[in-house]
Amino acid sequence: MGRCYLFGLSLLLGLLRAGRGLQNVTAQLFGAEAFGTLVAFGDFNSDKQTDLFVLRGGNELLIFLADQKEPYFKPKVKLSINQDVITSVVPGDYDGDSQMDVLLTTQPQNHVTDELSVIIFWGRNQTLDYNRKTVLNKTFHDEPLIMDFNGDLIPDVFGVTNESDRPQILIGRNLSWHPALDTKNKMYIPHSHAFIDLNRDFTADGDGQTEHLLPACADVICQKSAIYLSKPGLNQWIPVLQDFRNKDAVWGFVPYENNQSSVPITLHIGDYNMDGYPDALAILRNTSGSNQQAFLLENVPCNNASCRNIHRMFKVYWELSDLNQIKDAVLATFFDIYEDGILDIIVLSKGYFKSDFAIHTLKNNFEADAYFVKVIVLSGLCSNDCPSKITPFGVNQPGPYIMYTTVDANGYLKNGSAGQLSQSAHFALQLPYSVLGLGRSANFLDHLYVGIPRPLGEKSIRKQEWTAIIPNSQLIVIPYPHNVPRSWSAKLYLTPSNIVLLTAIALIGVCVFILAIIGILHWQEKKADDREKRQEAHRFHFDAM
């Protein structure tokens, strides 16, 4: 029996070790359509599957809807702008009808001005009609931030317009303009505005506390780069990555150039290995050459004096299978391709055709005994009485804040938090949901808190708590009505991981092996019984003589 146990254990461990690294699955996802500029994510047709918004040729928007058959993303919705160049795309429900609309910022093709026009195309029955649109009567100095300024869970538009040097806000639904910030300071271009809860009071003003990461260059051409961290209570910026040397080569961030093909220095955040510590993706360039690639920055324990106070740091994953093979990368972000709670990677690279980029999708084959919870917060404008009977799964709601507390595998208290869609400009490419890694703890989540923005002047915090949440599950929160958190509802969907499947296979294998041993032993025992009976019969006849 001891050998049987060892066999089962070795089989289980062998299966769990299988499949690490990345796998290029671009052909399965896009077929021959893997080109363009990925600009946003969102569930456009409310089927609980995330769709992709892709620009082509500068003036054409395609929405790739998720499908159950290969290729798994197909361009089903098309929108063309004839005279202007589209610079950014932000999906959202801007009129509160629980259907996804699409906001575009555009520039004239001849670039006679740097001002950005804003057009909102109103979604209806999961389509976009060129004639159903609103062109805002003001232009913006920079791409706007989409936020929930007045706490009604309808997205608003924040930015500096051509009519004032101070930021203004366009309130969603009624599209009225209001002053937003009384400041004499000029807004930086390109900006990195965010709408996030920093002090855990569940207003947009998270340990479980939100930190601020700042990728920076020490010089104009980024010969020396670093990433710094700050959070409430710290009066200085702490370096969490300064070593960009790989063998004899020194790498650094790609300097921003003020043109349409350049992307501001950006970190895209996601928990790649589900250990509960967010990792990052960054584009780095060889400072002594022209090659630029996407790299995974793993969140690891601090091993030097500079980050001792915060205990964590980033380490560059210099060698990572298929990711290293993508040259001239310009953008990299996380995306849960198969809706299984494991964050995969999408990379855009130069060299496809004219201004269009090539799209590369890499499946994350990371397998370990780590768990997650996936949370999406809807608008809560309706529950069971939504217009056209459409539950607003695809509204892309900015502002909600998620926080959890649980006990890790060693018995220590563990906290985590995330803000939903805190940024929207300059290829933020944030997902409309939060994936929170739980590490190796298979325990139930003790407490999961969800908060939403509240109107100015309201003192009561709009947050609700759920307890005993099953790991490896997706929670869809409907905060309806907004001001009665105890009435909010949540739909729980289990996502069986490969670990469960592999464990089941190993267990079945062990059981079959044990049954085979039992069968053999039973057969041998039966043979011995038959032999003994024959001997008894033979002895009886002999004694009778």
Side-chain angles (χ1 to χ4, degrees):
M1 187 60 69
R3 289 181 180 177
C4 171
Y5 171 78
L6 290 174
F7 167 79
L9 182 62
S10 62
L11 175 62
L12 174 61
L13 292 175
L15 286 168
L16 291 180
R17 287 189 188 119
R20 290 179 179 267
L22 297 173
Q23 175 188 356
N24 195 317
V25 292
T26 306
Q28 294 95 304
L29 265 63
F30 293 99
E33 299 283 345
F35 64 97
T37 303
L38 177 66
V39 286
F41 300 101
D43 181 5
F44 184 74
N45 56 352
S46 293
D47 64 351
K48 297 194 287 292
Q49 302 288 317
T50 307
D51 308 310
L52 308 178
F53 292 70
V54 175
L55 291 181
R56 284 185 182 166
N59 62 353
E60 182 180 71
L61 172 64
L62 296 172
I63 303 178
F64 284 69
L65 300 184
D67 199 350
Q68 298 298 320
K69 298 179 181 179
E70 289 191 16
Y72 294 118
F73 290 92
K74 299 179 176 67
K76 294 290 189 178
V77 181
K78 180 179 177 181
L79 187 68
S80 296
I81 308 294
N82 295 328
Q83 290 136 357
D84 294 337
V85 175
I86 302 172
T87 58
S88 70
V89 177
V90 190
D93 179 16
Y94 295 95
D95 57 359
D97 67 350
S98 300
Q99 299 195 55
M100 180 176 279
D101 312 308
V102 177
L103 180 148
L104 306 182
T105 61
T106 66
Q107 265 185 335
Q109 288 185 349
N110 53 11
H111 302 296
V112 294
T113 176
D114 290 332
E115 293 288 305
L116 297 175
S117 299
V118 174
I119 311 171
I120 302 176
F121 288 89
W122 306 107
R124 176 186 285 181
N125 298 327
Q126 303 165 6
T127 61
L128 293 176
D129 184 346
Y130 182 81
N131 296 315
R132 280 180 48 82
K133 66 180 184 291
T134 297
V135 181
L136 300 191
N137 57 1
K138 299 181 182 182
T139 58
F140 285 79
H141 292 343
D142 195 6
E143 295 180 12
L145 168 69
I146 305 305
M147 60 182 292
D148 185 8
F149 183 80
N150 59 349
D152 63 353
L153 273 77
I154 297 176
D156 310 309
V157 185
F158 172 93
V160 179
T161 71
N162 60 321
E163 293 189 0
S164 173
D165 290 333
R166 297 183 181 182
Q168 293 184 291
I169 192 80
L170 177 78
I171 300 298
R173 183 179 271 167
N174 62 22
L175 302 185
S176 60
W177 292 95
H178 302 271
L181 195 62
D182 187 13
T183 178
K184 295 181 180 180
N185 295 325
K186 188 175 181 179
M187 296 291 104
Y188 189 82
I189 299 176
H191 73 78
S192 57
H193 304 328
F195 181 60
I196 188 74
D197 182 359
L198 291 176
N199 56 359
R200 291 184 291 173
D201 65 352
F202 288 91
T203 63
D205 24 0
D207 90 322
Q209 195 170 34
T210 300
E211 290 93 17
H212 186 177
L213 286 173
L214 179 67
C217 296
D219 53 90
V220 176
I221 59 175
C222 292
Q223 288 290 113
K224 186 176 180 180
S225 301
I227 300 176
Y228 297 92
L229 178 145
S230 182
K231 64 179 180 179
L234 284 179
N235 58 1
Q236 60 179 326
W237 289 92
I238 306 296
V240 290
L241 179 59
Q242 293 177 299
D243 182 11
F244 285 84
R245 182 177 297 275
N246 179 30
K247 300 176 182 176
D248 296 329
V250 177
W251 295 71
F253 294 119
V254 181
Y256 175 68
E257 300 172 4
N258 191 16
N259 58 59
Q260 289 185 348
S261 62
S262 184
V263 178
I265 298 173
T266 306
L267 297 178
H268 289 98
I269 306 298
D271 193 349
Y272 169 82
N273 52 6
M274 295 184 294
D275 63 352
Y277 296 98
D279 309 298
L281 286 168
I283 303 297
L284 302 179
R285 184 176 67 174
N286 190 326
T287 59
S288 59
S290 59
N291 182 31
Q292 65 184 55
Q293 295 177 210
F295 290 96
L296 174 69
L297 313 182
E298 186 179 6
N299 188 329
V300 298
C302 173
N303 63 7
N304 61 67
S306 63
C307 58
R308 184 172 56 239
N309 292 339
I310 54 175
H311 311 297
R312 307 293 298 185
M313 59 177 280
F314 283 118
K315 177 183 177 183
V316 184
Y317 233 111
W318 294 113
E319 304 294 333
L320 192 58
S321 60
D322 288 17
L323 191 60
N324 293 116
Q325 298 177 17
I326 302 173
K327 307 302 179 184
D328 296 323
V330 294
L331 202 61
T333 192
F334 292 103
F335 175 51
D336 183 3
I337 293 173
Y338 298 98
E339 302 285 353
D340 57 2
I342 298 175
L343 291 178
D344 310 289
I345 295 174
I346 298 182
V347 181
L348 304 184
S349 68
K350 296 178 183 177
Y352 181 80
F353 179 72
K354 293 184 178 179
S355 61
D356 285 331
F357 297 133
I359 302 175
H360 312 265
T361 50
L362 304 176
K363 182 187 177 195
N364 180 0
N365 282 323
F366 176 83
E367 294 288 355
D369 49 347
Y371 300 86
F372 68 91
V373 63
K374 185 174 179 179
V375 183
I376 179 169
V377 184
L378 307 185
S379 65
L381 296 172
C382 60
S383 180
N384 298 318
D385 55 347
C386 297
S388 304
K389 303 299 181 183
I390 297 175
T391 303
F393 291 114
V395 294
N396 275 31
Q397 188 60 48
Y401 187 71
I402 302 106
M403 187 174 74
Y404 74 85
T405 63
T406 189
V407 176
D408 66 16
N410 298 316
Y412 296 107
L413 187 66
K414 181 179 178 66
N415 301 316
S417 65
Q420 182 172 292
L421 291 171
S422 60
Q423 294 181 298
S424 59
H426 298 293
F427 297 99
L429 286 176
Q430 293 189 350
L431 296 168
Y433 48 78
S434 299
V435 178
L436 302 166
L438 304 178
R440 297 187 175 187
S441 173
N443 298 331
F444 283 68
L445 241 64
D446 295 334
H447 305 276
L448 182 93
Y449 305 91
V450 172
I452 61 173
R454 63 180 186 257
L456 186 66
E458 183 175 314
K459 295 182 179 180
S460 59
I461 296 174
R462 293 182 172 183
K463 76 168 181 176
Q464 178 61 351
E465 173 189 0
W466 284 269
T467 58
I469 301 298
I470 303 171
N472 285 14
S473 61
Q474 177 174 343
L475 195 72
I476 299 178
V477 177
I478 304 174
Y480 175 85
H482 298 160
N483 60 344
V484 189
R486 66 177 180 274
S487 297
W488 297 357
S489 60
K491 300 178 184 292
L492 187 70
Y493 299 87
L494 292 180
T495 309
S497 68
N498 288 337
I499 299 169
V500 176
L501 178 61
L502 294 174
T503 303
I505 293 173
L507 183 60
I508 292 170
V510 171
C511 291
V512 169
F513 184 76
I514 292 174
L515 289 173
I517 296 295
I518 292 173
I520 293 172
L521 292 175
H522 180 71
W523 178 70
Q524 290 178 339
E525 185 177 0
K526 189 174 183 304
K527 283 184 63 178
D529 287 344
D530 291 343
R531 189 184 307 113
E532 188 175 343
K533 287 179 181 178
R534 287 196 300 268
Q535 289 175 349
E536 287 289 337
H538 179 71
R539 187 162 49 249
F540 172 78
H541 290 300
F542 181 78
D543 289 343
M545 292 174 62

